[in-house]
Amino acid sequence: MSQENFDQQMMQRCLTLARKASGYTSPNPMVGAIVVKNGQVIGEGFHFKPGEPHAEVFALRDAGENAAGATVYVNLEPCNHYGRTPPCTKALIAARVAKVVVGIVDPNPLVSGKGIAKLRDAGIEVKVGVEEIACRRLNEAFCHRIVHHKCFGILKYAMTLDGKIATSTGHSAWVTGTTSRQLVHQTRAGCDAVIVGGNTVRRDNPHLTVHEATGRNPLRVVMSRNLHLPQEANLWNVNIAPTLVFTEWGQNPSLQADLRNKGVEVLELSPLTPSQVMDVLYERQLSRILWECGGVLGAQAIREGVIQKIMAFIAPKIIGGVSAASPVGDLGLEKMSDALSLQDVTIRQIDQDMLVEGYLKKI
């Protein structure tokens, strides 16, 4: 095996380790690290939540004194500043490692390039850019948060081959197959919050949990301007996952009181908009937000620029209906030349369904 292929294989192992903490690290990145000596892995670790040691520290502890002269692989540039934990560069230098292989440079101005420079100044060889695309995609929400000071939004929907998310009567269970739904639950487990509108609560009574996957349930968020919501709903059971309801000032005070008595948090915002909600979630240190709402709210979220990624599940079904709902409402686009195009598109088959993923240009 060539050195290049070996480096790629080791970096992929770092990414596998990093994913073990998916859904738990926000606002920190997901990072995995391994220590290699004489072609053998002698230590490994990952960062599993804010305030705890970084991946490099765990990997060096695992390797012990054998780390001297070894190569350390890490998917994100080691930090060189004091935050909640000491700088990882200090630990790497103290361990007398010979080489550090880095996936991507940290976009955080406190780190960006400084960690690499510190290691090189200490005589440690540093290689940067191994499996760069995969490393960047793993931490796309972290990078977006650091660069733009905003949460990273994903609009997910499931539709039929003729572009419908429900029949003309509003019935929507189930558009896609079991495997697709399991993947949605896995996606939720990697997100900090999932957002729906009031109509979804009234029609579908969702749980918005990860019961078909392993991992932590995200914060469940409901946006409802008039707070015309049912007294009883699965989302009001906060024993399984927290729920936050956004509404406008003074709406339905009796229901607000009832929800708060059940442990549901209610926040009043005027005007209630997707961007306002995302600002609140950003201030709460969240990063990756999944939008599972209907077409009207989805369109508003796109117009306001809070959606960066699209996950479109397409089922090989046709239901027709002029009044049947589509996944994205009115965007005010009148010409096909105005259509929003996705970038870095991937298409994969999931049993009988297709999943199209891509990134929106900033509107």
Side-chain angles (χ1 to χ4, degrees), residues 203-238:
R203 285 189 172 181
D204 298 341
N205 192 22
H207 291 86
L208 302 182
T209 58
V210 300
H211 58 269
E212 291 187 26
T214 58
R216 184 179 65 173
N217 287 319
L219 171 68
R220 303 173 299 178
V221 178
V222 179
M223 291 180 61
S224 176
R225 283 199 181 93
N226 53 28
L227 209 62
H228 287 168
L229 299 174
Q231 291 283 125
E232 300 296 329
N234 291 320
L235 294 181
W236 310 157
N237 178 7
V238 297

Side-chain angles (χ1 to χ4, degrees), residues 98-109:
K99 182 178 180 179
V100 177
V101 180
V102 176
I104 59 172
V105 175
D106 193 326
N108 188 341

Side-chain angles (χ1 to χ4, degrees), residues 48-70:
F48 59 92
K49 70 176 182 178
E52 295 296 326
H54 291 182
E56 299 95 316
V57 173
F58 283 118
L60 291 172
R61 286 179 184 174
D62 195 29
E65 293 183 358
N66 287 332

Side-chain angles (χ1 to χ4, degrees), residues 271-287:
L272 177 59
T273 64
S275 59
Q276 291 266 48
V277 168
M278 290 289 261
D279 286 346
V280 171
L281 299 182
Y282 174 82
E283 291 298 325
R284 294 188 175 205
Q285 303 297 299
L286 306 188
S287 300

Side-chain angles (χ1 to χ4, degrees), residues 109 239 268 273 275 288 357:
N239 293 322
E268 297 172 294
T273 64
S275 59
R288 191 176 183 91
E357 294 182 274

Side-chain angles (χ1 to χ4, degrees), residues 176-182 314 316 348-355:
T176 53
T178 302
T179 306
S180 292
R181 297 198 296 275
Q182 289 171 344
I314 305 171
R348 55 178 162 147
Q349 187 165 351
I350 304 170
D351 287 347
Q352 295 300 308
D353 304 323
M354 300 296 294
L355 171 59

Side-chain angles (χ1 to χ4, degrees), residues 59-326:
L60 291 172
R61 286 179 184 174
D62 195 29
E65 293 183 358
N66 287 332
T71 296
V72 175
Y73 291 82
V74 60
N75 58 289
L76 185 69
E77 176 184 7
C79 65
N80 187 43
H81 67 287
Y82 283 87
R84 285 191 253 190
T85 58
C88 292
T89 52
K90 184 177 180 179
L92 291 164
I93 293 168
R96 295 179 291 118
V97 303
K99 182 178 180 179
V100 177
V101 180
V102 176
I104 59 172
V105 175
D106 193 326
N108 188 341
L110 292 173
V111 181
S112 191
K114 297 181 180 70
I116 293 168
K118 182 70 173 180
L119 294 173
R120 285 174 173 160
D121 289 344
I124 296 173
E125 181 185 352
V126 181
K127 180 178 180 180
V128 183
V130 175
E131 292 291 272
E132 183 174 1
I133 294 175
C135 291
R136 194 170 303 282
R137 186 152 293 183
L138 175 73
N139 279 309
E140 60 191 7
F142 166 76
C143 293
H144 183 82
R145 179 185 175 85
I146 289 292
V147 173
H148 300 285
H149 305 288
K150 294 181 180 297
C151 294
F152 183 84
I154 305 168
L155 177 62
K156 166 261 152 186
Y157 54 81
M159 68 179 188
T160 60
L161 202 57
D162 55 338
K164 309 297 183 182
I165 61 174
T167 67
S168 56
T169 63
H171 186 264
S172 60
W174 297 100
V175 175
T176 53
T178 302
T179 306
S180 292
R181 297 198 296 275
Q182 289 171 344
L183 179 56
V184 170
H185 286 233
Q186 292 172 16
T187 302
R188 286 178 189 164
C191 290
D192 302 312
V194 55
I195 298 177
V196 296
N199 201 39
T200 299
V201 178
R202 289 187 293 271
R203 285 189 172 181
D204 298 341
N205 192 22
H207 291 86
L208 302 182
T209 58
V210 300
H211 58 269
E212 291 187 26
T214 58
R216 184 179 65 173
N217 287 319
L219 171 68
R220 303 173 299 178
V221 178
V222 179
M223 291 180 61
S224 176
R225 283 199 181 93
N226 53 28
L227 209 62
H228 287 168
L229 299 174
Q231 291 283 125
E232 300 296 329
N234 291 320
L235 294 181
W236 310 157
N237 178 7
V238 297
N239 293 322
I240 55 173
T243 300
L244 169 58
V245 174
F246 286 93
T247 189
E248 297 206 336
W249 285 100
Q251 296 297 316
N252 203 341
S254 62
L255 181 59
Q256 285 197 38
D258 186 47
L259 291 178
R260 290 191 176 103
N261 287 335
K262 292 177 179 177
V264 175
E265 184 180 3
V266 181
L267 283 182
E268 297 172 294
L269 295 176
S270 288
L272 177 59
T273 64
S275 59
Q276 291 266 48
V277 168
M278 290 289 261
D279 286 346
V280 171
L281 299 182
Y282 174 82
E283 291 298 325
R284 294 188 175 205
Q285 303 297 299
L286 306 188
S287 300
R288 191 176 183 91
I289 312 300
L290 184 64
W291 291 73
E292 293 194 44
C293 53
V296 175
L297 184 54
Q300 187 180 2
I302 291 174
R303 288 197 306 270
E304 294 186 14
V306 302
I307 301 298
Q308 283 67 52
K309 186 176 183 179
I310 302 292
M311 292 182 68
F313 291 84
I314 305 171
K317 303 174 181 177
I318 297 174
I319 57 175
V322 174
S323 61
S326 58

